[in-house]
């Protein structure tokens, strides 16, 4: 670093079109400079996260999940400690701890590699840092910042179990080995995962094919991760590779973590081996991070071949326009629908907000595949999700999703009703038939009668259309214009949290009402639940539930035209 106000001494051109700085040939970063860069990076990351309300909400949900896992880990550790004092053998202190620490290390390496491949592995200020700082210093700051970001997660996963062991066995020194193992895991995983991610980033940037496939591959990996985690198959994967996890050098981390816990048989040689191997990985990984960073940053992005000459290319056919071309609607309505669908296709991040409920469907689907049976309510869950996706993905924020085009829309000749119908058409046209087909298909797998299948199919189309109109009404009352930042200049405007809450509650009550007026088993189940949960323990019968269901359906039917009228009026009278 240079003194304030001074100009760093320049050397020859670095090959990036900008001068290199002294020391750019070093492999090791300057500790003071790297620490300062990391401090700035972490502070900026915290401010960015706190400014994104949905990320704050996600963080609170994740914190609750980690707190639950921490309590379970603490309870298991305390039980293991008590059994250790009693002279009994436990899975956790015989083989489990070694497996857990190996999994933690591999998990941290994977997370850090993904972090480096993504936008967090890019240079700030369009790379101009490299005009005043050397690559090793910037890389050092990135390594320290990444280690600082992921340390709380590892602490939440590793420390509670060892606190339980220390309390259960009455051995406070047990925490010493846990602390050393945690620090070594963070440092070595960062030194391995981050350079690996930077290398992958360089490969992607140099290949037009990989650049095009990166979103697809990233999405596939994300879906695979969620399916494995939420279906319960994670433990199956761990069990299959457990012999590898318990053998050196991965298994040495468990020896180090339990080295200060007496009576568990941790190997001192294994603990020493973990320290030696971990130290080597930290030194070697930090040194290799510099060439990996140069490989990732000091290159021009490859362009797909299709972008080479767009001026002479024939404009591609518009499948969305052809799909809506035959629809018996006015030109403004068709234009709004086409534009809305094209916006979703070009910016699919908007669909993330409609995909959240799918996480809850993963364990249910895995259980259905395992047992070979489909519950009677599965088709109705499909109907509910199809209606939720139709409303949340498109019409739940008809004003906010327009972005910079909102003034043009408000000043156009399209009326408020035409704008609403365009959004409803964009949501219901693709999703209504898909929802009906999926619901009927699930019903066929559940051996439902033809009358039940017909009821579910018709209800699916009606509920999706009604939900789209209801979403437009709710979203026009509670619009949101602030974008949610996904990083790397990718943004999407989600519906407001109030709109989510109102729409989700109304939709859930409507789908339950449809189910109880058409399914006898649904009426009986709801009657039992209400009898058990209502205060004063009243006896609720199936007939009363059916009556309540019809009342809810009537209110829902009345709310649909009211929501349409409200949305049309709000959009027509909205002023910037």
């Amino acid at each position: 670093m240079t003194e304030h106000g001074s100009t760093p001494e320049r050397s020859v051109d670095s090959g990036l079109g900008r001068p290199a700085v002294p020391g750019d040939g070093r492999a090791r970063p300057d500790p003071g400079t790297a620490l300062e860069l990391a401090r700035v990076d972490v502070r900026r990351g915290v401010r960015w996260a706190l400014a994104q309300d949905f990320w704050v909400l996600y963080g609170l949900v994740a914190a609750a999940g980690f707190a639950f896992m921490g309590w379970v880990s603490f309870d298991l550790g305390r039980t293991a400690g008590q059994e250790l004092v009693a002279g009994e053998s436990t899975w956790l202190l015989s083989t489990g701890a070694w497996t857990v620490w190996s999994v933690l290390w591999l998990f941290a390496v994977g997370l850090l590699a993904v972090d480096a491949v993504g936008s967090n592995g890019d240079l700030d200020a369009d790379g101009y840092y490299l005009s005043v700082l050397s690559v090793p210093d910037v890389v050092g700051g990135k390594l320290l910042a990444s280690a600082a970001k992921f340390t709380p997660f590892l602490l939440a996963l590793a420390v509670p179990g060892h606190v339980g062991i220390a309390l259960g066995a009455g051995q406070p020194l047990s925490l010493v080995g846990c602390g050393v193992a945690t620090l070594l895991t963070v440092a070595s995983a960062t030194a391995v995962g981050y350079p690996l991610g930077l290398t992958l980033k360089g490969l992607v940037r140099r290949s037009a094919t990989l650049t095009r496939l990166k979103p697809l591959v990233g999405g596939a990996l994300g879906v695979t991760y969620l399916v494995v985690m939420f279906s319960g198959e994670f433990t199956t994967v761990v069990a299959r590779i457990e012999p590898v996890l318990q053998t050196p050098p991965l298994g040495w981390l468990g020896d180090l973590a339990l080295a200060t816990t007496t009576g568990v048989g941790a190997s001192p040689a294994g603990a020493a081996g973990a320290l030696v191997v971990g130290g080597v990985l930290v030194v070697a990984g930090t040194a290799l991070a510099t060439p990996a960073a140069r490989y990732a940053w000091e290159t021009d992005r490859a362009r797909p071949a299709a972008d080479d000459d767009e001026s002479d290319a024939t404009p591609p056919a518009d499948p969305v326009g052809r799909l809506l071309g035959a629809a018996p609607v006015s030109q403004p309505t068709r234009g709004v629908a086409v534009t809305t669908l094209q916006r979703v296709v070009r910016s699919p991040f908007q669909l993330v907000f409609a995909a959240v409920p799918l996480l809850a469907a993963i364990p249910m689907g895995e259980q259905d595949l395992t047992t070979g049976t489909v519950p009677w309510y599965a088709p109705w869950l499909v109907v509910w999700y199809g209606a939720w996706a139709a409303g949340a993905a498109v019409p739940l924020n008809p004003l906010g999703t327009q972005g910079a085009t909102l003034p043009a829309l408000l000043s156009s000749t399209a009326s408020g009703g035409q704008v609403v119908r365009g959004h409803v058409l964009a949501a219901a046209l693709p999703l209504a038939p898909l929802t009906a087909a999926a619901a009927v298909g699930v019903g066929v797998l559940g051996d439902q009668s033809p009358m039940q299948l017909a009821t579910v199919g018709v209800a699916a189309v009606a509920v999706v259309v009604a939900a789209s109109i209801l979403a437009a009404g709710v979203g026009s009352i509670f619009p949101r214009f602030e974008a949610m930042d996904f990083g790397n200049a990718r943004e999407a405007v989600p519906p407001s949290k109030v709109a989510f809450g109102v729409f989700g509650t109304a939709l859930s009550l409507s789908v339950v009402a449809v189910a109880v007026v058409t399914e006898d088993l649904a009426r009986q189940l709801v009657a039992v639940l209400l009898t058990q949960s209502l205060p004063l323990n009243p006896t609720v019968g199936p007939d009363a539930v059916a009556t309540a269901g019809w009342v809810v359906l009537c209110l829902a039917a009345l709310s649909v035209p009211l929501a349409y009228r409200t949305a049309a009026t709000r959009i027509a009278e909205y002023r910037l």
Side-chain angles (χ1 to χ4, degrees):
M1 296 286 289
T2 59
E3 296 181 359
H4 179 68
S6 63
T7 303
E9 180 184 352
R10 306 288 177 142
S11 62
V12 297
D13 187 35
S14 64
L16 291 172
R18 54 177 174 266
V21 297
D24 199 44
R26 291 185 287 111
R28 292 179 299 175
D30 175 69
T33 303
L35 186 61
E36 178 64 16
L37 289 173
R39 185 186 66 82
V40 173
D41 196 5
V42 171
R43 288 186 61 185
R44 290 177 59 190
V46 171
R47 287 200 302 265
W48 172 85
L50 293 178
Q52 305 283 325
D53 53 356
F54 270 89
W55 283 121
V56 173
L57 180 62
Y58 168 76
L60 294 175
V61 174
F66 274 99
F68 173 76
M69 289 188 292
W71 171 254
V72 172
S73 177
F74 170 79
D75 190 57
L76 290 174
R78 182 176 56 183
T79 302
Q82 293 170 348
E83 293 177 350
L84 177 64
V85 173
E88 300 176 4
S89 177
T90 63
W91 169 83
L92 184 63
L93 295 180
S94 58
T95 60
W98 283 261
T99 301
V100 168
W101 278 98
S102 298
V103 170
L104 283 178
W105 189 86
L106 292 174
F107 189 64
V109 169
L111 287 179
L112 286 155
V114 171
D115 188 64
V117 172
S119 59
N120 288 332
D122 292 331
L123 289 170
D124 295 323
D126 295 327
Y128 289 112
Y129 270 177
L130 296 185
S131 64
V132 294
L133 295 171
S134 67
V135 172
D137 292 340
V138 178
V139 171
K142 291 284 188 181
L143 290 173
L144 290 177
S146 298
K149 286 187 295 184
F150 286 100
T151 295
F153 297 100
L154 292 178
L155 289 175
L157 294 172
V159 172
H162 282 268
V163 172
I165 294 173
L167 292 178
Q171 300 185 27
L173 289 178
S174 176
L175 296 177
V176 176
C178 169
V180 175
T182 301
L183 293 176
L184 185 66
T185 299
V186 171
S188 59
T190 304
V192 173
Y194 211 80
L196 177 62
L198 290 175
T199 303
L200 293 176
K201 179 187 286 290
L203 289 173
V204 171
R205 286 184 168 181
R206 284 168 166 78
S207 171
T209 301
L210 292 178
T211 299
R212 281 196 303 266
L213 294 178
K214 181 182 176 181
L216 181 62
V217 174
L221 290 177
V223 170
T224 302
Y225 167 77
L226 293 175
V227 169
V228 171
M229 296 299 292
F230 281 84
S231 66
E233 292 300 319
F234 179 73
T235 55
T236 304
V237 174
V238 172
R240 291 183 177 179
I241 63 174
E242 192 169 17
V244 177
L245 299 176
Q246 295 180 359
T247 55
L250 283 176
W252 286 342
L253 271 175
D255 290 318
L256 179 60
L258 296 174
T260 56
T261 305
T262 59
V264 298
S267 170
L275 290 173
V276 172
V277 173
V280 171
L281 288 178
V282 170
V283 174
T286 303
L288 291 175
T290 297
R294 288 195 177 101
Y295 181 72
W297 297 337
E298 298 183 0
T299 181
D300 294 328
R301 293 178 182 268
R303 292 194 309 162
D307 297 339
D308 290 341
D309 190 6
E310 295 182 352
S311 59
D312 298 333
T314 303
D318 184 6
V320 176
R322 289 203 306 268
L323 179 65
L324 297 175
V329 295
S330 63
Q331 180 58 39
T333 299
R334 185 182 299 112
V336 171
V338 170
T339 303
T340 301
L341 283 176
Q342 287 177 339
R343 183 180 291 115
V344 173
V345 172
R346 292 168 183 168
S347 180
F349 288 99
Q350 196 71 31
L351 302 178
V352 171
F353 311 114
V356 174
L358 286 178
L359 299 179
I362 292 175
M364 181 181 299
E366 191 269 342
Q367 183 179 2
D368 294 342
L369 291 175
T370 302
T371 60
T373 59
V374 177
W376 64 270
Y377 55 82
W380 293 107
L381 287 179
V382 174
V383 173
W384 180 90
Y385 178 71
W388 164 267
V394 177
L396 192 53
N397 193 17
L399 292 170
T401 55
Q402 300 299 321
T405 64
L406 181 59
L409 177 67
L410 296 178
S411 60
S412 68
T413 58
S415 65
Q418 290 171 328
V419 173
V420 174
R421 291 195 295 273
H423 280 85
V424 172
L425 182 62
L429 187 63
L431 287 178
L434 288 177
T435 303
V440 171
V442 172
V444 170
L445 295 177
D447 295 327
Q448 295 192 357
S449 66
M451 181 58 67
Q452 290 174 316
L453 296 177
T455 301
V456 168
V458 173
V461 175
V463 170
V464 167
V465 175
S468 301
I469 299 174
L470 179 63
V474 174
S476 64
I477 299 175
F478 305 105
R480 174 188 169 116
F481 300 96
E482 297 81 9
M484 178 179 176
D485 190 359
F486 286 87
N488 203 19
R490 292 187 291 263
E491 293 182 342
V493 181
S496 68
K497 293 183 289 296
V498 176
F500 265 129
V502 173
F503 173 67
T505 302
L507 176 62
S508 299
L509 290 176
S510 301
V511 173
V512 170
V514 172
V516 298
V517 300
T518 57
E519 297 278 355
D520 181 63
L521 188 57
R523 289 192 290 271
Q524 297 179 14
L525 177 61
V526 173
V528 172
L529 292 176
L530 291 177
T531 301
Q532 294 177 350
S533 59
L534 289 177
L536 303 179
N537 298 321
T539 300
V540 181
D543 293 338
V545 171
T547 302
W550 281 112
V551 171
V552 172
L553 279 184
C554 291
L555 293 176
L558 292 175
S559 68
V560 171
L562 179 62
Y564 171 80
R565 182 62 182 170
T566 301
T569 303
R570 292 275 297 181
I571 293 174
E573 298 179 352
Y574 188 81
R575 297 293 181 268
L576 294 176

